[in-house]
Amino acid sequence: MTELPGTGSTDAANPAPAPTILCVDDEPSILSALRRLFRAKGFQVRVAEGGQAGLAVLAAEPIDLVISDMRMPEMDGVTFLEQVRQRWPDCMRLLLTGYADITSIMGAINRGEIYRYIAKPWDDNDILLIVRGALQQRDMVQEQRRLQALIKAQNDELKVLNFSLEVKVAERTAELNQTNAALLGANEQLKNNFITSIKIFTSLIELRASHLAGHSRRVADVARRLAQKLGLDNKPSQEVFVAGLLHAIGKVGFDDELLNTPLVMLNTAQLQVFRKHPARAAQLLLPLPELKGAAEIIVAQLERFDGAGYPEGLAGKKIPLGARILLVASDYDALQIGTLAQRKLAPSKALAAIVDGSGKRYDPEVVGALAALMGEAGPAAAAVQRPADTVRRVRDLLPGMVLARDLITPSGLLMLTAGHVLDEAVIGKIMDFEKSMGLRLMVDVEPAAP
């Protein structure tokens, strides 16, 4: 920013040049008075006795601000300031008038887009304040442009980096481990470049597995829409959105097998590792007070509405509303991309699975908001009836049995699809899941052949 005269310099070794002011008036006495006033305050001053002379000065050297009289022969102030706006739009424009001519003033505002108009005779202190205000506004606009250009350059660099990472598939794991270590020491950079750092966080896991591409972004979008649907104001809605972007960063240390195995197929040891990722994410975000609200949401994302979740076993409204929203949004997308179950579900079936878990895994109020957002009929549409003569306990399953219906947990998670032929390994995994989750699963199988 330009350091204005009389405001003190922030760099004594390299003081900023004094702004240059052009005064345009057909009265020499007015020009002399303005020149004395501004030079005494440290400004560089140029004068011109008319519009054409003023345009010539502007063409010859950079001018920061123009003060023009309204009534001048040959070219009035409105016409002059309009040409200044068209040819030198960054030059600030002030109108000096001794007439209460509203029409002319409006012309200067509309055609010349002036910053302010000043009535004759002026007060020296007032005109100095107006000039300094105009120059400060000009500097702020230029600084905004600089920052926008810087952000664009950073975004372009990120695009190049992402492309490079996609090409170097063989080096992904090593690079991600290095990035994870770097992230632990990147707190200060995160504060200075909040949104860019969040995008780097969310890309880490998605680079490891192609099916995760866009997952965090979609979860964040649905979570924010749910928050708004439930009447949350801007700040908590934004916290839910940020939590959606960052909800999976605790998985950054997962090995490839754990990262690529659907949740319902994890063994007991893998489940124990998986359940720690919200706490790991909260630890990563702990040094950042700006993310405290999002971290509180993320750490509770595996809590269940019925109290059977992790890590605290919270139930109902004791679970932060943001965490209840995040779980619904995350599972709704995860069901569609295959990270919860063996098969990817269509959006309508994913919604049906969420609705089926209402009151158990999910908050019914949040489920209702999701159904409303997605245009579905509600819980009744997802009801599934089981024929009693084909229902078996997990312990009664035998190799060779064929599933008659999709195997879905009470919380709405799809484990196996209809038509799947059971073997000992699959039955063992179902038993491990049932035991580790504290569930009692009932399985629909095809009737035995006669």
Side-chain angles (χ1 to χ4, degrees), residues 288-322:
L288 304 174
E290 299 89 345
L291 295 178
K292 180 181 178 182
E296 291 174 350
I297 293 171
I298 291 170
V299 78
Q301 63 178 294
L302 297 185
E303 299 286 359
R304 291 168 49 113
F305 196 75
D306 59 8
Y310 299 88
E312 301 294 337
L314 302 176
K317 305 298 182 181
K318 292 184 179 179
I319 304 171
L321 177 56

mmCIF file of all heavy atoms in Angstrom, residues 288-322:
data_model
loop_
_atom_site.group_PDB
_atom_site.id
_atom_site.type_symbol
_atom_site.label_atom_id
_atom_site.label_comp_id
_atom_site.label_asym_id
_atom_site.label_seq_id
_atom_site.Cartn_x
_atom_site.Cartn_y
_atom_site.Cartn_z
ATOM 1 N N LEU A 288 -5.007 -25.388 16.267
ATOM 2 C CA LEU A 288 -5.656 -24.337 15.483
ATOM 3 C C LEU A 288 -6.961 -23.926 16.146
ATOM 4 O O LEU A 288 -7.997 -24.581 15.978
ATOM 5 C CB LEU A 288 -5.939 -24.833 14.056
ATOM 6 C CG LEU A 288 -4.705 -25.353 13.299
ATOM 7 C CD1 LEU A 288 -5.117 -25.943 11.973
ATOM 8 C CD2 LEU A 288 -3.701 -24.233 13.111
ATOM 9 N N PRO A 289 -6.959 -22.851 16.931
ATOM 10 C CA PRO A 289 -8.194 -22.437 17.608
ATOM 11 C C PRO A 289 -9.317 -22.105 16.640
ATOM 12 O O PRO A 289 -10.487 -22.227 16.984
ATOM 13 C CB PRO A 289 -7.751 -21.215 18.429
ATOM 14 C CG PRO A 289 -6.467 -20.748 17.808
ATOM 15 C CD PRO A 289 -5.810 -21.970 17.251
ATOM 16 N N GLU A 290 -8.982 -21.681 15.404
ATOM 17 C CA GLU A 290 -10.024 -21.356 14.434
ATOM 18 C C GLU A 290 -10.853 -22.583 14.064
ATOM 19 O O GLU A 290 -11.992 -22.460 13.595
ATOM 20 C CB GLU A 290 -9.403 -20.765 13.158
ATOM 21 C CG GLU A 290 -8.633 -19.468 13.370
ATOM 22 C CD GLU A 290 -7.170 -19.708 13.709
ATOM 23 O OE1 GLU A 290 -6.810 -20.864 14.051
ATOM 24 O OE2 GLU A 290 -6.390 -18.742 13.637
ATOM 25 N N LEU A 291 -10.288 -23.781 14.239
ATOM 26 C CA LEU A 291 -10.974 -25.011 13.852
ATOM 27 C C LEU A 291 -11.527 -25.780 15.053
ATOM 28 O O LEU A 291 -11.874 -26.959 14.925
ATOM 29 C CB LEU A 291 -10.016 -25.909 13.060
ATOM 30 C CG LEU A 291 -9.552 -25.346 11.713
ATOM 31 C CD1 LEU A 291 -8.583 -26.310 11.051
ATOM 32 C CD2 LEU A 291 -10.731 -25.072 10.806
ATOM 33 N N LYS A 292 -11.630 -25.117 16.201
ATOM 34 C CA LYS A 292 -12.100 -25.812 17.392
ATOM 35 C C LYS A 292 -13.505 -26.368 17.199
ATOM 36 O O LYS A 292 -13.786 -27.521 17.551
ATOM 37 C CB LYS A 292 -12.078 -24.852 18.588
ATOM 38 C CG LYS A 292 -12.555 -25.499 19.890
ATOM 39 C CD LYS A 292 -12.529 -24.503 21.049
ATOM 40 C CE LYS A 292 -13.046 -25.155 22.322
ATOM 41 N NZ LYS A 292 -13.068 -24.193 23.453
ATOM 42 N N GLY A 293 -14.402 -25.568 16.637
ATOM 43 C CA GLY A 293 -15.772 -26.030 16.433
ATOM 44 C C GLY A 293 -15.834 -27.215 15.494
ATOM 45 O O GLY A 293 -16.542 -28.199 15.750
ATOM 46 N N ALA A 294 -15.082 -27.161 14.383
ATOM 47 C CA ALA A 294 -15.062 -28.274 13.435
ATOM 48 C C ALA A 294 -14.463 -29.522 14.072
ATOM 49 O O ALA A 294 -14.936 -30.643 13.851
ATOM 50 C CB ALA A 294 -14.276 -27.878 12.188
ATOM 51 N N ALA A 295 -13.410 -29.347 14.886
ATOM 52 C CA ALA A 295 -12.765 -30.493 15.534
ATOM 53 C C ALA A 295 -13.728 -31.189 16.498
ATOM 54 O O ALA A 295 -13.747 -32.428 16.587
ATOM 55 C CB ALA A 295 -11.516 -30.037 16.276
ATOM 56 N N GLU A 296 -14.546 -30.417 17.215
ATOM 57 C CA GLU A 296 -15.517 -31.008 18.135
ATOM 58 C C GLU A 296 -16.563 -31.828 17.387
ATOM 59 O O GLU A 296 -17.062 -32.837 17.897
ATOM 60 C CB GLU A 296 -16.185 -29.908 18.955
ATOM 61 C CG GLU A 296 -15.236 -29.235 19.954
ATOM 62 C CD GLU A 296 -15.878 -28.054 20.661
ATOM 63 O OE1 GLU A 296 -16.986 -27.644 20.242
ATOM 64 O OE2 GLU A 296 -15.284 -27.534 21.615
ATOM 65 N N ILE A 297 -16.898 -31.408 16.186
ATOM 66 C CA ILE A 297 -17.830 -32.175 15.356
ATOM 67 C C ILE A 297 -17.166 -33.458 14.863
ATOM 68 O O ILE A 297 -17.733 -34.553 14.924
ATOM 69 C CB ILE A 297 -18.302 -31.318 14.164
ATOM 70 C CG1 ILE A 297 -19.165 -30.158 14.661
ATOM 71 C CG2 ILE A 297 -19.087 -32.165 13.155
ATOM 72 C CD1 ILE A 297 -19.510 -29.140 13.587
ATOM 73 N N ILE A 298 -15.929 -33.335 14.365
ATOM 74 C CA ILE A 298 -15.226 -34.468 13.777
ATOM 75 C C ILE A 298 -14.995 -35.568 14.806
ATOM 76 O O ILE A 298 -15.159 -36.755 14.519
ATOM 77 C CB ILE A 298 -13.889 -33.999 13.165
ATOM 78 C CG1 ILE A 298 -14.163 -33.127 11.933
ATOM 79 C CG2 ILE A 298 -13.024 -35.186 12.774
ATOM 80 C CD1 ILE A 298 -12.935 -32.427 11.393
ATOM 81 N N VAL A 299 -14.598 -35.201 16.034
ATOM 82 C CA VAL A 299 -14.257 -36.210 17.036
ATOM 83 C C VAL A 299 -15.474 -37.041 17.435
ATOM 84 O O VAL A 299 -15.330 -38.178 17.901
ATOM 85 C CB VAL A 299 -13.618 -35.544 18.270
ATOM 86 C CG1 VAL A 299 -14.663 -34.902 19.161
ATOM 87 C CG2 VAL A 299 -12.775 -36.541 19.045
ATOM 88 N N ALA A 300 -16.693 -36.519 17.224
ATOM 89 C CA ALA A 300 -17.916 -37.236 17.606
ATOM 90 C C ALA A 300 -18.625 -37.844 16.409
ATOM 91 O O ALA A 300 -19.772 -38.277 16.523
ATOM 92 C CB ALA A 300 -18.866 -36.293 18.359
ATOM 93 N N GLN A 301 -17.974 -37.930 15.256
ATOM 94 C CA GLN A 301 -18.668 -38.355 14.038
ATOM 95 C C GLN A 301 -19.067 -39.829 14.035
ATOM 96 O O GLN A 301 -19.911 -40.242 13.233
ATOM 97 C CB GLN A 301 -17.809 -38.058 12.802
ATOM 98 C CG GLN A 301 -16.494 -38.819 12.757
ATOM 99 C CD GLN A 301 -15.698 -38.532 11.509
ATOM 100 O OE1 GLN A 301 -16.101 -38.861 10.401
ATOM 101 N NE2 GLN A 301 -14.556 -37.867 11.689
ATOM 102 N N LEU A 302 -18.465 -40.656 14.896
ATOM 103 C CA LEU A 302 -18.826 -42.076 14.952
ATOM 104 C C LEU A 302 -19.787 -42.392 16.104
ATOM 105 O O LEU A 302 -20.092 -43.558 16.359
ATOM 106 C CB LEU A 302 -17.562 -42.933 15.086
ATOM 107 C CG LEU A 302 -16.582 -42.868 13.913
ATOM 108 C CD1 LEU A 302 -15.441 -43.851 14.118
ATOM 109 C CD2 LEU A 302 -17.286 -43.151 12.588
ATOM 110 N N GLU A 303 -20.262 -41.367 16.819
ATOM 111 C CA GLU A 303 -21.287 -41.598 17.837
ATOM 112 C C GLU A 303 -22.611 -41.958 17.159
ATOM 113 O O GLU A 303 -22.940 -41.446 16.088
ATOM 114 C CB GLU A 303 -21.478 -40.348 18.699
ATOM 115 C CG GLU A 303 -20.240 -39.905 19.465
ATOM 116 C CD GLU A 303 -19.911 -40.804 20.654
ATOM 117 O OE1 GLU A 303 -20.664 -41.779 20.892
ATOM 118 O OE2 GLU A 303 -18.916 -40.533 21.340
ATOM 119 N N ARG A 304 -23.360 -42.877 17.771
ATOM 120 C CA ARG A 304 -24.653 -43.296 17.230
ATOM 121 C C ARG A 304 -25.791 -42.702 18.062
ATOM 122 O O ARG A 304 -25.662 -42.507 19.277
ATOM 123 C CB ARG A 304 -24.767 -44.813 17.240
ATOM 124 C CG ARG A 304 -23.868 -45.542 16.256
ATOM 125 C CD ARG A 304 -23.862 -47.033 16.556
ATOM 126 N NE ARG A 304 -25.212 -47.558 16.709
ATOM 127 C CZ ARG A 304 -25.790 -48.415 15.866
ATOM 128 N NH1 ARG A 304 -25.121 -48.818 14.790
ATOM 129 N NH2 ARG A 304 -27.006 -48.863 16.084
ATOM 130 N N PHE A 305 -26.915 -42.481 17.423
ATOM 131 C CA PHE A 305 -28.049 -41.890 18.111
ATOM 132 C C PHE A 305 -28.546 -42.785 19.241
ATOM 133 O O PHE A 305 -29.062 -42.298 20.248
ATOM 134 C CB PHE A 305 -29.177 -41.618 17.114
ATOM 135 C CG PHE A 305 -30.238 -40.687 17.627
ATOM 136 C CD1 PHE A 305 -30.009 -39.321 17.712
ATOM 137 C CD2 PHE A 305 -31.471 -41.169 18.044
ATOM 138 C CE1 PHE A 305 -30.979 -38.452 18.197
ATOM 139 C CE2 PHE A 305 -32.453 -40.309 18.520
ATOM 140 C CZ PHE A 305 -32.198 -38.952 18.598
ATOM 141 N N ASP A 306 -28.370 -44.133 19.090
ATOM 142 C CA ASP A 306 -28.839 -45.053 20.130
ATOM 143 C C ASP A 306 -27.814 -45.273 21.237
ATOM 144 O O ASP A 306 -28.026 -46.084 22.142
ATOM 145 C CB ASP A 306 -29.235 -46.396 19.514
ATOM 146 C CG ASP A 306 -28.084 -47.074 18.770
ATOM 147 O OD1 ASP A 306 -26.945 -46.580 18.860
ATOM 148 O OD2 ASP A 306 -28.330 -48.096 18.091
ATOM 149 N N GLY A 307 -26.663 -44.575 21.184
ATOM 150 C CA GLY A 307 -25.663 -44.667 22.233
ATOM 151 C C GLY A 307 -24.638 -45.766 22.047
ATOM 152 O O GLY A 307 -23.787 -45.966 22.916
ATOM 153 N N ALA A 308 -24.673 -46.481 20.906
ATOM 154 C CA ALA A 308 -23.755 -47.600 20.693
ATOM 155 C C ALA A 308 -22.535 -47.198 19.872
ATOM 156 O O ALA A 308 -21.856 -48.046 19.313
ATOM 157 C CB ALA A 308 -24.493 -48.752 19.996
ATOM 158 N N GLY A 309 -22.244 -45.890 19.797
ATOM 159 C CA GLY A 309 -21.137 -45.431 18.967
ATOM 160 C C GLY A 309 -19.854 -45.197 19.740
ATOM 161 O O GLY A 309 -19.703 -45.627 20.895
ATOM 162 N N TYR A 310 -18.943 -44.492 19.113
ATOM 163 C CA TYR A 310 -17.602 -44.260 19.662
ATOM 164 C C TYR A 310 -17.232 -42.784 19.509
ATOM 165 O O TYR A 310 -17.747 -42.119 18.603
ATOM 166 C CB TYR A 310 -16.572 -45.131 18.915
ATOM 167 C CG TYR A 310 -16.828 -46.611 19.041
ATOM 168 C CD1 TYR A 310 -17.663 -47.265 18.142
ATOM 169 C CD2 TYR A 310 -16.264 -47.344 20.074
ATOM 170 C CE1 TYR A 310 -17.926 -48.624 18.272
ATOM 171 C CE2 TYR A 310 -16.510 -48.710 20.214
ATOM 172 C CZ TYR A 310 -17.347 -49.349 19.302
ATOM 173 O OH TYR A 310 -17.596 -50.682 19.432
ATOM 174 N N PRO A 311 -16.364 -42.238 20.388
ATOM 175 C CA PRO A 311 -15.617 -42.932 21.445
ATOM 176 C C PRO A 311 -16.299 -42.905 22.813
ATOM 177 O O PRO A 311 -15.918 -43.639 23.708
ATOM 178 C CB PRO A 311 -14.312 -42.156 21.499
ATOM 179 C CG PRO A 311 -14.711 -40.757 21.151
ATOM 180 C CD PRO A 311 -15.813 -40.879 20.130
ATOM 181 N N GLU A 312 -17.314 -42.039 22.998
ATOM 182 C CA GLU A 312 -17.885 -41.827 24.336
ATOM 183 C C GLU A 312 -19.195 -42.566 24.556
ATOM 184 O O GLU A 312 -19.708 -42.589 25.665
ATOM 185 C CB GLU A 312 -18.115 -40.317 24.571
ATOM 186 C CG GLU A 312 -16.861 -39.464 24.480
ATOM 187 C CD GLU A 312 -15.871 -39.755 25.580
ATOM 188 O OE1 GLU A 312 -16.305 -40.265 26.632
ATOM 189 O OE2 GLU A 312 -14.669 -39.493 25.383
ATOM 190 N N GLY A 313 -19.778 -43.140 23.521
ATOM 191 C CA GLY A 313 -21.075 -43.783 23.681
ATOM 192 C C GLY A 313 -22.187 -42.796 23.968
ATOM 193 O O GLY A 313 -23.157 -43.114 24.653
ATOM 194 N N LEU A 314 -22.064 -41.587 23.426
ATOM 195 C CA LEU A 314 -23.105 -40.576 23.617
ATOM 196 C C LEU A 314 -24.375 -40.993 22.882
ATOM 197 O O LEU A 314 -24.320 -41.705 21.877
ATOM 198 C CB LEU A 314 -22.623 -39.217 23.098
ATOM 199 C CG LEU A 314 -21.348 -38.656 23.730
ATOM 200 C CD1 LEU A 314 -20.962 -37.352 23.045
ATOM 201 C CD2 LEU A 314 -21.523 -38.461 25.216
ATOM 202 N N ALA A 315 -25.501 -40.512 23.361
ATOM 203 C CA ALA A 315 -26.780 -40.878 22.743
ATOM 204 C C ALA A 315 -27.637 -39.646 22.542
ATOM 205 O O ALA A 315 -27.537 -38.664 23.275
ATOM 206 C CB ALA A 315 -27.515 -41.896 23.617
ATOM 207 N N GLY A 316 -28.509 -39.718 21.546
ATOM 208 C CA GLY A 316 -29.508 -38.693 21.310
ATOM 209 C C GLY A 316 -28.934 -37.301 21.172
ATOM 210 O O GLY A 316 -27.932 -37.073 20.505
ATOM 211 N N LYS A 317 -29.587 -36.359 21.849
ATOM 212 C CA LYS A 317 -29.204 -34.958 21.733
ATOM 213 C C LYS A 317 -27.905 -34.622 22.454
ATOM 214 O O LYS A 317 -27.395 -33.509 22.318
ATOM 215 C CB LYS A 317 -30.330 -34.058 22.280
ATOM 216 C CG LYS A 317 -31.686 -34.289 21.646
ATOM 217 C CD LYS A 317 -31.681 -33.990 20.153
ATOM 218 C CE LYS A 317 -33.068 -34.175 19.547
ATOM 219 N NZ LYS A 317 -33.106 -33.908 18.106
ATOM 220 N N LYS A 318 -27.343 -35.583 23.198
ATOM 221 C CA LYS A 318 -26.047 -35.342 23.823
ATOM 222 C C LYS A 318 -24.929 -35.318 22.790
ATOM 223 O O LYS A 318 -23.848 -34.795 23.058
ATOM 224 C CB LYS A 318 -25.768 -36.402 24.891
ATOM 225 C CG LYS A 318 -26.686 -36.295 26.112
ATOM 226 C CD LYS A 318 -26.303 -37.311 27.170
ATOM 227 C CE LYS A 318 -27.206 -37.173 28.400
ATOM 228 N NZ LYS A 318 -26.859 -38.170 29.446
ATOM 229 N N ILE A 319 -25.177 -35.923 21.646
ATOM 230 C CA ILE A 319 -24.212 -35.857 20.550
ATOM 231 C C ILE A 319 -24.339 -34.476 19.909
ATOM 232 O O ILE A 319 -25.448 -34.024 19.627
ATOM 233 C CB ILE A 319 -24.503 -36.943 19.495
ATOM 234 C CG1 ILE A 319 -24.526 -38.329 20.140
ATOM 235 C CG2 ILE A 319 -23.473 -36.895 18.369
ATOM 236 C CD1 ILE A 319 -25.030 -39.428 19.214
ATOM 237 N N PRO A 320 -23.246 -33.767 19.673
ATOM 238 C CA PRO A 320 -23.356 -32.456 19.020
ATOM 239 C C PRO A 320 -24.145 -32.562 17.712
ATOM 240 O O PRO A 320 -23.966 -33.522 16.946
ATOM 241 C CB PRO A 320 -21.890 -32.067 18.761
ATOM 242 C CG PRO A 320 -21.106 -32.817 19.790
ATOM 243 C CD PRO A 320 -21.834 -34.113 19.999
ATOM 244 N N LEU A 321 -25.013 -31.591 17.484
ATOM 245 C CA LEU A 321 -25.842 -31.632 16.277
ATOM 246 C C LEU A 321 -24.976 -31.701 15.021
ATOM 247 O O LEU A 321 -25.305 -32.418 14.069
ATOM 248 C CB LEU A 321 -26.748 -30.396 16.224
ATOM 249 C CG LEU A 321 -27.631 -30.265 14.968
ATOM 250 C CD1 LEU A 321 -28.500 -31.499 14.782
ATOM 251 C CD2 LEU A 321 -28.500 -29.011 15.056
ATOM 252 N N GLY A 322 -23.855 -30.979 15.007
ATOM 253 C CA GLY A 322 -22.978 -31.026 13.841
ATOM 254 C C GLY A 322 -22.485 -32.428 13.561
ATOM 255 O O GLY A 322 -22.377 -32.841 12.398
#
